[in-house]
Amino acid sequence: MKSILLSTASLALLAAASFEGNLNYHSPSRRHLGLGIDVKKVAKRSLVKRATPWDPAQLNFTHGVASGDPYPSSVILWTRIAPSLEHDRSNITVSGYVPFYSHETEKYIKASPNPICVEYRVATDRNLSSIVDKGTAYTTSDIDFTVKIEAKSLKPFRTYYYQFNVCGSNNKSPLGRTKTSPAENDAVSKVGLAVFSCSNYPSGYFNAYGNAARKDNVDFFVHLGDYLYETGRGTPGRDPRATAPRGEIFTLYDYRTRIGQYRTDPDLRLAHQNFAWIPTWDDHEVANNGYRDGFSGMNNTEASFLKFGRISVDSRKMNAVRSYFEWMPIRQVDLDDNLRIWRSFKMGKLFDLIMLDTRNYDRSITTLNWNNDYIEELKDDAGRSLMGSAQENWFYRSLSESKKRGATWRIIGNQIIFSRMNNSAVYSNPLNADQWDGYQSNRNRTLHHLYSNEIGNTAFLAGDSHANWVSDLVWLDETPYDQVTGAGAIGVEFAGTAVSSTGYGSGRSIANSSARSAGLVRDNRELQWAEGYYRGYYELHISPDELNARYYGSPSVATRNPFEVSLANFTVKSGENHLQRNVAGGRVESGALQRGSTVPTNLTLNTLSRTWNVTGFNQMFITYPAANSTSA
Ligand SMILES: *[C@@H]1O[C@H](CO)[C@@H](O)[C@H](O)[C@H]1NC(C)=O
Ligand SMILES: *[C@@H]1O[C@H](CO)[C@@H](O)[C@H](O)[C@H]1NC(C)=O
Ligand SMILES: *[C@@H]1O[C@H](CO)[C@@H](O)[C@H](O)[C@H]1NC(C)=O
Ligand SMILES: *[C@@H]1O[C@H](CO)[C@@H](O)[C@H](O)[C@H]1NC(C)=O
Ligand SMILES: *[C@@H]1O[C@H](CO)[C@@H](O)[C@H](O)[C@H]1NC(C)=O
Ligand SMILES: *[C@@H]1O[C@H](CO)[C@@H](O)[C@H](O)[C@H]1NC(C)=O
Ligand SMILES: *[C@@H]1O[C@H](CO)[C@@H](O)[C@H](O)[C@H]1NC(C)=O
Ligand SMILES: *[C@@H]1O[C@H](CO)[C@@H](O)[C@H](O)[C@H]1NC(C)=O
Ligand SMILES: *[C@@H]1O[C@H](CO)[C@@H](O)[C@H](O)[C@H]1NC(C)=O
Ligand SMILES: *[C@@H]1O[C@H](CO)[C@@H](O)[C@H](O)[C@H]1NC(C)=O
Ligand SMILES: *[C@@H]1O[C@H](CO)[C@@H](O)[C@H](O)[C@H]1NC(C)=O
């Protein structure tokens, strides 16, 4: 009897090791048991129940593979291995939970309590003959059958291939490809990023992801947030892009189901399978116009708690964050801080990529519709922050340390538009107080830090707005700025349009949309290019001498198609701290350019570039569909 007990205990220890290998068992917080998963109990439950083990043939790699957060010697690998496409129904919340498995009663187990075991291999070749790392990890319904491991012992800035299989079986995942980052002190000559934001599944097809992946022209994919949307739309069975679940999402089950649905999209899957991603979130990963204590559609009050089926703001945020970390191939750099996604990457001596969270971490109150007048009065308040003091201090320190270590560039992965923007030409509110314009003291502190420490070669990236905006980075009303030469600026801002969400040019003709862009450019002298018609993405090619930004548009997201249009190209020379003149070579395809011309191509199948070969498309796709509107 005694020896059986002993062996069970030692087995549990052994098993716990394989559980530990799956980083999602630590997520979202290892040190707060109430928020995390008690791995010892999961291990014990698995072993003592002696249920029929999983039949490998019963299991499926339901959502392909993914990788992300590259370091010089390691990268995160992800997959999901499950008995079905269905997600775990436990609705664990911060303040108490309705578990799939109850630690107290050891009841309510739907499937086999045994863990699913997967092996993974990482190699330098597609055939996986030169293995450099391998291992075993477990998963269970507790983490929605996701697997997230850290592949180690890798060499810097190298391509690797990886694959998972069910332990001891030939049931294999698709083959993934990934890449490590350059070593901190390497003099890398070139790194390419593809930059995305705002991919709303029911608004259209994810051609931007597919095109960038098939072109295979960059090293890493960066996502600036609104990777998914929380609202429900469409009728399942009738609308091919109807959301699952059908309505707005609140519970952990809901968020798991929604992110799982997004990952069934073939273009998104292709992009995850072939590139290491570096994403951060914006508001819609949780809910519209989020801030520290609420969202536009939900208050942090008892009335709200009762109205939304006893889901509080905090528990909703926790559900969203938990499923996000389960499903996204990224690191949690501080497990003691489960809301933290802000982090940075040293890309050799070439640049630092600083990923911010201006949204969910510790943001002061934003516009929630009912309070817009109040925010108008508050927006200059010195105490307002988009990031909270911990993150803000880290941000300024990161900028200084980046300069100190001699990195040539600082690239800031930020959600919302940084530059001051008079939007009168396209929106009823001249200033969008949900962007940095509503947090002017935070913006001034950032500009002050850059100017006073002479930190140059900085590029802000932004998404969120569903339109393209390219600006010189300037401290208006403080530093002289020459719009013609760019003198006085401290860097640049590259804001990109949505993958599929609708913007100010949607549902209009190209010319009509470009006329609106011209109004924006007229009213904002640091804004060099504005464009609102196309959905798409941009590539950022970074080298010691210059940055090149290439903007691409999808002629239509109403169908899944491989066509794209080159919209505009920009160069920033190292040390110049503004866009090179003539900006965009003086000519863009769409939108409006300061001191330049817009010359639209007559788009036909022959003039469009395409990233895969298809037949049967006709020109009707050139008219952008009047898609349903979505909030930013
Ligand atoms: C496995 O999952 C895919 C979706 O990713 C589905 O198309 C396929 O039918 C599933 N196979 C089995 C055997 O369940
Ligand atoms: C969790 O919430 C979903 C609705 O989102 C519900 O269908 C399910 O029954 C809930 N599960 C539990 C265990 O309460
Ligand atoms: C990989 O496998 C293919 C097909 O089996 C084979 O032709 C090729 O030579 C292999 N390459 C290496 C490097 O082993
Ligand atoms: C757009 O809205 C219309 C009318 O409400 C609806 O019939 C249609 O299904 C929606 N389309 C999409 C793609 O959601
Ligand atoms: C949140 O509170 C404000 C102010 O009391 C109210 O106007 C608004 O309707 C509330 N929102 C929700 C979703 O209950
Ligand atoms: C930001 O800086 C500008 C330029 O100096 C100044 O006019 C403005 O009042 C400042 N705003 C805040 C909130 O500090
Ligand atoms: C914004 O632009 C409009 C012109 O479209 C102008 O009337 C208005 O004064 C501008 N507002 C600010 C704050 O510059
Ligand atoms: C642009 O389109 C809008 C909406 O369809 C219409 O109201 C407006 O008159 C158009 N403007 C021009 C200049 O064509
Ligand atoms: C951008 O640059 C690419 C090649 O570098 C070129 O093919 C394309 O035409 C350019 N696009 C524009 C709008 O100038
Ligand atoms: C665009 O090309 C088509 C086909 O070549 C031609 O019929 C049409 O007149 C062209 N339109 C313009 C505005 O040049
Ligand atoms: C399209 O087909 C042509 C001819 O077969 C081939 O040369 C080309 O590489 C293909 N392009 C793509 C993107 O697959």
Side-chain angles (χ1 to χ4, degrees):
M1 188 66 193
K2 202 176 174 188
S3 66
I4 290 170
L5 278 176
L6 265 178
S7 71
T8 305
S10 53
L11 265 175
L13 272 178
L14 263 180
S18 289
F19 281 107
E20 297 285 336
N22 186 342
L23 301 177
N24 280 344
Y25 282 109
H26 309 164
S27 175
S29 175
R30 186 174 201 169
R31 295 180 195 105
H32 300 102
L33 266 192
L35 301 181
I37 289 171
D38 188 335
V39 173
K40 282 200 190 105
K41 283 194 172 158
V42 175
K44 196 170 146 219
R45 176 188 83 205
S46 314
L47 291 160
V48 298
K49 295 287 175 180
R50 304 204 183 289
T52 320
W54 294 102
D55 172 1
Q58 187 191 349
L59 299 169
N60 194 352
F61 289 94
T62 51
H63 293 76
V65 293
S67 74
D69 273 22
Y71 282 178
S73 66
S74 77
V75 66
I76 299 295
L77 306 181
W78 181 96
T79 193
R80 182 173 185 270
I81 176 75
S84 81
L85 275 169
E86 180 62 0
H87 304 276
D88 182 55
R89 284 194 169 269
S90 66
N91 295 324
I92 302 165
T93 64
V94 174
S95 53
Y97 43 94
V98 190
F100 178 79
Y101 167 80
S102 156
H103 296 311
E104 286 74 34
T105 62
E106 299 204 340
K107 274 188 187 150
Y108 187 56
I109 295 166
K110 180 173 68 173
S112 168
N114 283 334
I116 296 171
C117 174
V118 293
E119 293 162 336
Y120 61 90
R121 286 167 300 154
V122 185
T124 51
D125 65 319
R126 283 183 176 279
N127 295 2
L128 303 180
S129 50
S130 317
I131 304 278
V132 292
D133 194 23
K134 59 181 180 172
T136 302
Y138 286 167
T139 186
T140 56
S141 62
D142 305 80
I143 48 174
D144 201 18
F145 299 108
T146 55
V147 178
K148 190 196 275 191
I149 61 106
E150 184 181 14
K152 294 182 180 146
S153 313
L154 310 180
K155 298 221 165 81
F157 212 35
R158 276 257 206 129
T159 296
Y160 289 96
Y161 299 88
Y162 62 94
Q163 192 166 43
F164 295 89
N165 64 276
V166 176
C167 290
S169 113
N170 203 30
N171 185 347
K172 289 179 185 159
S173 74
L175 182 71
R177 187 188 71 174
T178 189
K179 194 168 199 169
T180 47
S181 63
E184 190 173 330
N185 292 316
D186 278 4
V188 221
S189 60
K190 198 171 172 345
V191 174
L193 309 175
V195 185
F196 305 90
S197 62
C198 305
S199 32
N200 189 331
Y201 188 91
S203 290
Y205 286 82
F206 293 164
N207 299 324
Y209 292 144
N211 287 344
R214 283 182 291 265
K215 261 195 312 186
D216 203 2
N217 202 22
V218 298
D219 301 294
F220 306 111
F221 275 32
V222 170
H223 202 291
L224 301 174
D226 291 349
Y227 175 91
L228 61 80
Y229 282 70
E230 83 284 12
T231 44
R233 203 183 333 151
T235 308
R238 198 192 66 195
D239 301 317
R241 304 283 281 184
T243 57
R246 191 170 175 173
E248 188 167 341
I249 57 180
F250 296 94
T251 66
L252 181 59
Y253 170 75
D254 291 343
Y255 280 97
R256 283 170 168 168
T257 304
R258 183 63 54 83
I259 198 168
Q261 177 190 34
Y262 274 59
R263 293 277 271 276
T264 61
D265 180 276
D267 290 300
L268 179 54
R269 261 166 98 136
L270 183 78
H272 274 301
Q273 187 179 340
N274 290 289
F275 291 88
W277 282 51
I278 303 173
T280 181
W281 53 47
D282 193 8
D283 51 339
H284 289 284
E285 281 86 351
V286 187
N288 184 49
N289 279 28
Y291 71 107
R292 185 166 51 210
D293 305 310
F295 321 106
S296 65
M298 194 191 238
N299 296 323
N300 198 16
T301 58
E302 188 174 358
S304 181
F305 181 68
L306 297 174
K307 182 168 162 185
F308 291 103
R310 298 179 176 271
I311 300 261
S312 66
V313 163
D314 281 354
S315 51
R316 186 180 191 184
K317 211 180 239 195
M318 216 49 252
N319 292 337
V321 164
R322 186 179 190 123
S323 68
Y324 185 90
F325 280 126
E326 281 171 351
W327 279 75
M328 297 303 275
I330 61 171
R331 300 168 195 267
Q332 273 183 271
V333 291
D334 183 355
L335 277 167
D336 229 7
D337 191 351
N338 56 309
L339 250 190
R340 173 169 171 180
I341 195 170
W342 39 281
R343 62 204 192 285
S344 65
F345 298 84
K346 294 187 172 79
M347 297 288 183
K349 278 283 187 203
L350 192 53
F351 69 103
D352 285 304
L353 178 61
I354 301 172
M355 301 296 287
L356 300 182
D357 177 358
T358 58
R359 185 57 77 171
N360 296 304
Y361 188 72
D362 202 4
R363 178 185 177 125
S364 309
I365 193 165
T366 188
T367 48
L368 307 167
N369 300 327
W370 54 269
N371 71 346
N372 292 2
D373 293 345
Y374 170 65
I375 298 298
E376 187 56 34
E377 285 170 26
L378 269 193
K379 65 182 184 338
D380 289 343
D381 196 290
R384 281 168 69 68
S385 176
L386 278 165
M387 294 179 251
S389 56
Q391 186 187 179
E392 236 192 279
N393 289 328
W394 165 85
F395 177 39
Y396 303 145
R397 206 165 57 241
S398 301
L399 291 168
S400 294
E401 281 168 5
S402 172
K403 180 185 174 185
K404 200 170 153 208
R405 83 175 186 93
T408 306
W409 303 93
R410 278 141 292 284
I411 311 288
I412 300 160
N414 146 77
Q415 292 73 24
I416 48 184
I417 290 180
F418 182 85
S419 300
R420 184 168 86 191
M421 220 47 90
N422 180 347
N423 293 309
S424 307
V426 299
Y427 296 118
S428 52
N429 263 347
L431 284 192
N432 182 346
D434 187 50
Q435 299 176 344
W436 284 76
D437 273 329
Y439 299 78
Q440 305 201 11
S441 52
N442 195 162
R443 181 168 59 204
N444 280 3
R445 288 193 291 273
T446 306
L447 288 167
H448 178 261
H449 190 85
L450 293 174
Y451 276 100
S452 63
N453 295 292
E454 294 176 352
I455 301 174
N457 280 359
T458 297
F460 263 86
L461 316 183
D464 180 75
S465 77
H466 311 175
N468 293 310
W469 320 68
V470 172
S471 309
D472 287 328
L473 199 67
V474 290
W475 195 353
L476 294 170
D477 306 335
E478 175 77 23
T479 313
Y481 166 63
D482 183 337
Q483 187 209 49
V484 178
T485 62
I490 189 79
V492 293
E493 175 166 26
F494 290 117
T497 190
V499 167
S500 64
S501 307
T502 55
Y504 73 74
S506 304
R508 294 164 185 267
S509 70
I510 297 183
N512 186 312
S513 170
S514 293
R516 304 191 97 199
S517 306
L520 290 170
V521 161
R522 176 197 63 215
D523 295 339
N524 297 284
R525 58 201 176 97
E526 81 289 9
L527 177 65
Q528 299 296 316
W529 180 56
E531 197 285 323
Y533 177 82
Y534 284 98
R535 309 305 89 201
Y537 67 99
Y538 61 99
E539 290 178 2
L540 198 60
H541 296 277
I542 302 150
S543 64
D545 298 336
E546 60 184 43
L547 289 185
N548 285 291
R550 294 185 200 145
Y551 279 74
Y552 294 95
S554 171
S556 171
V557 295
T559 62
R560 181 172 183 235
N561 69 71
F563 301 104
E564 65 176 20
V565 188
S566 165
L567 299 178
N569 300 321
F570 302 88
T571 300
V572 186
K573 292 281 183 194
S574 177
E576 287 198 350
N577 296 323
H578 57 72
L579 295 156
Q580 193 191 32
R581 269 54 179 177
N582 291 328
V583 175
R587 184 223 152 232
V588 293
E589 167 72 31
S590 174
L593 192 61
Q594 297 278 13
R595 306 171 310 279
S597 54
T598 301
V599 186
T601 312
N602 186 351
L603 298 180
T604 66
L605 281 182
N606 292 331
T607 58
L608 286 163
S609 71
R610 59 188 93 180
T611 60
W612 45 303
N613 287 332
V614 286
T615 52
F617 281 95
N618 60 39
Q619 292 194 40
M620 63 181 260
F621 66 81
I622 290 173
T623 308
Y624 186 78
N628 298 337
S629 70
T630 307
S631 56

